[in-house]
Amino acid sequence: MNTRTPLIAGNWKMNLTLKEAETLAKAVAETATRYTDRDVLIYPTFLQFTQAAKIAQGSRVALGVQNCSAEKDGAFTGEISASQAKEAGAQFVLIGHSERRHILKESDAFLKQKVERVLEQNLMCMLCVGETLAERESGHAEAVVLGQLNAALGQLAPQLWKNIAIAYEPVWAIGTGKNATPDDAQAMHAAIRRRVSELNQDIAPQLRILYGGSVKPDNIGALMGKADIDGALVGGASLKAESFAELVKNAK
Ligand code: PGA
């Protein structure tokens, strides 16, 4: 994948039957062949991953897993490791999605360990950051987001940055139908890129920063029109072949 080629990622979360996942993966592969100037990525569940990967094989669709363990291997019932994800064909691992931060209480320190596991495998790490509504309303949105960024990536070795993508997802926008305005999203993306450039000046202009939170076919164009928005991480609207195809089409 080229750096800052628009990237549209579908986060399937805990949705779809195996049959539905197979049908959707097929449709996404067809969509990806139509829009060769954009990158397309899907995050199926672990149990559907192998089938989706088989279907996507040879297509332009990249595959990712929604999570991995903070440990390399061992007695961690119910977990899967970054190396297992890689073996199954994953290119990306989503780390720190707000549902894992807030529902499963994953801390910044824990997420930093996961980032390390992902990068050890030379996989792409898509780190999610985002503030809650209370944090935004109290004027702390940027401090919270940059704090999450620092905690996970503040000490990253320079050569590892090429394997990082960031998804800015305001918690209040996820699954609510309320997306951030393109201007508000752009302001946060610019702040993220500024901070990254303090950490690694060379990588900052190439780093892909995706917006996520109620992205739909009718709002993706305005979001993608902003200078620092390089793609979208999409939940609900990625679950239907037609709406995902519209998203990719409108992501210009
Ligand atoms: P949504 O989810 O598009 O349904 O708001 C986005 C996400 O959680 O990644």
Side-chain angles (χ1 to χ4, degrees), residues 24-83:
L24 184 55
K26 238 175 255 160
V28 170
E30 280 161 24
T31 296
T33 41
R34 285 208 297 277
Y35 303 99
T36 52
D37 56 348
R38 286 149 243 201
D39 289 333
V40 173
L41 164 66
I42 51 174
Y43 289 106
T45 67
F46 295 139
L47 290 173
Q48 296 163 354
F49 185 91
T50 306
Q51 273 310 101
K54 258 189 216 153
I55 289 164
Q57 204 169 29
S59 81
R60 296 189 58 258
V61 180
L63 268 287
V65 290
Q66 299 172 15
N67 178 40
C68 76
S69 171
E71 303 293 336
K72 283 187 190 169
D73 54 29
F76 300 100
T77 302
E79 294 282 82
I80 66 119
S81 68
S83 66

